[in-house]
Amino acid sequence: MRPSQMRRREFIGRLGAAAVGAICQSNLAFAQATGSATHRTVNANGIHLHFVEQGEGPLVVLCHGFPESWYSWRHQLAALSAAGFRAVAVDMRGYGQSDRPEAIDQYTLLHLVGDIVGLLDALRVQQAVIAGHDWGAVVAWHAALLRPDRFRAVIALSLPYLQRSPVVPTLAMPRRKDSMSYVLYFQEPGVAEAELERDVRQTFLKVLAGGSVAGGSRERLPGDPLGMVPRDGGLLTDRPTPATLPNWLTEADLDFYVREFERTGFRGGLNWYRNTDRNWELLAPLEGAKVTVPALYMVGDRDLILAFQGMDRVVANLANFVPQLRGKVILSGCGHWTQQERAPEVNAAMIDFLRQL
């Protein structure tokens, strides 16, 4: 280790994890200005996988959800680098500058976990900590479950580790004469693409700035399921366009997402949902399996993931299936876009967890 690196680590150690999180945004601006965050593409699991990396030290792989990109981890790259870690934020399969295979069956969880294993191989790194948000959390949990020899710890945001459903998932999803679960709405190729790609800026205004859960804002009666899409409309039908952006999202951030998805479309990300039942079939041998590596879970108390039926029990009992759960962080006033909405707290919790490994 170079003396400058040692001094930086000692300085960061004296500052503490909370301070690292607080200076995250200024670090990011510095990194972008100096080019210290670098873009790379490698061959991994038979596809080209693009990622952005920053820092030196133990590897932390960051996996995004839907509809996002490596950019959703922009606030974590500099903070993790400053704390002495090598942070790699991936454009997951189907997104951004990574390959987007046409076939739907190329987006199973086994493919997605395989991509990250292939990334480690391409980087010639034996082990890493894997972190994920939303769908990326699902990938992170299963990477830790399937390959604990390669993923020594897991950090999951929004989605807790979910046990395999006792029945075919889409058969258990709510459907009514006038509405259906958003996951069911996503199943027919081309339908959701047409809606979301009609005006990509409006899509991201409504999804990122205007709400934090799939499904409209129409009035729900007691007992009505969450995440329902009207059959006479679409995912965005009842979502208002916000007059202003939330304080965690800038016009530049919005522009980035819009440019990326105007270029790529939404098909790649939607194909993840179209493998819901196939994943259930492929993971049958793992019925009842536990995630045995050290884990950290974070979720916003306003993330409507928590309002889905039974999710409160899953979170409360998470340690039963994640026996090395080291922390469970509930972020007050935070919605679904966890690491973007509350970057300082997320950074501090991640760094504290990583240092204790």
Side-chain angles (χ1 to χ4, degrees), residues 210-227:
S212 60
V213 69
S217 60
R218 63 174 58 182
E219 184 177 351
R220 291 176 58 244
L221 297 174
D224 279 355
L226 284 167

Side-chain angles (χ1 to χ4, degrees), residues 33-34 56 63 65 77 82 88 122 144 162 166 174 182 234 238 241 281 305:
T34 60
E56 299 177 16
C63 303
L77 286 168
V88 169
L162 297 172
Y182 73 97
D238 297 313
T241 301
E281 295 171 358
I305 286 294

Side-chain angles (χ1 to χ4, degrees), residues 81-158:
S81 172
F85 297 93
R86 180 186 185 184
V88 169
V90 185
D91 267 340
M92 302 294 282
R93 175 183 292 243
Y95 289 88
Q97 297 178 52
S98 292
D99 282 350
R100 303 184 298 278
E102 284 296 317
I104 291 173
D105 65 4
Q106 295 299 294
Y107 292 84
T108 70
L109 270 172
L110 296 185
H111 288 88
L112 300 171
V113 171
D115 291 346
I116 308 303
V117 173
L119 172 66
L120 265 59
D121 290 343
L123 297 177
R124 298 183 180 180
V125 174
Q126 179 58 33
Q127 285 193 323
V129 175
I130 187 166
H133 168 256
D134 184 73
W135 254 111
V138 181
V139 175
W141 285 122
H142 284 83
L145 178 71
L146 292 163
R147 295 301 304 269
D149 59 319
R150 304 301 301 272
F151 301 100
R152 64 191 182 96
V154 56
I155 301 170
L157 281 61
S158 187

Side-chain angles (χ1 to χ4, degrees), residues 241-287:
T241 301
T244 59
L245 297 180
N247 60 9
W248 56 269
L249 186 70
T250 68
E251 288 288 349
D253 298 334
L254 186 64
D255 288 343
F256 180 89
Y257 284 114
V258 171
R259 285 195 305 269
E260 282 290 87
F261 282 83
E262 283 181 341
R263 181 176 60 82
T264 67
F266 289 80
R267 178 182 171 87
L270 289 165
N271 280 342
W272 291 36
Y273 292 91
R274 292 167 184 154
N275 282 280
T276 297
D277 290 347
R278 186 174 286 111
N279 289 333
W280 182 81
E281 295 171 358
L282 292 171
L283 296 175
L286 297 172
E287 181 88 41

Side-chain angles (χ1 to χ4, degrees), residues 9 33 41 55 62 73 90 121 139 147 153 179 181 221 234 252 290 306 330 350:
R9 288 192 183 185
T41 299
L62 307 167
W73 294 101
V90 185
D121 290 343
V139 175
R147 295 301 304 269
S179 62
S181 162
L221 297 174
K290 297 182 179 182
L306 294 181
I330 310 297
M350 290 180 71

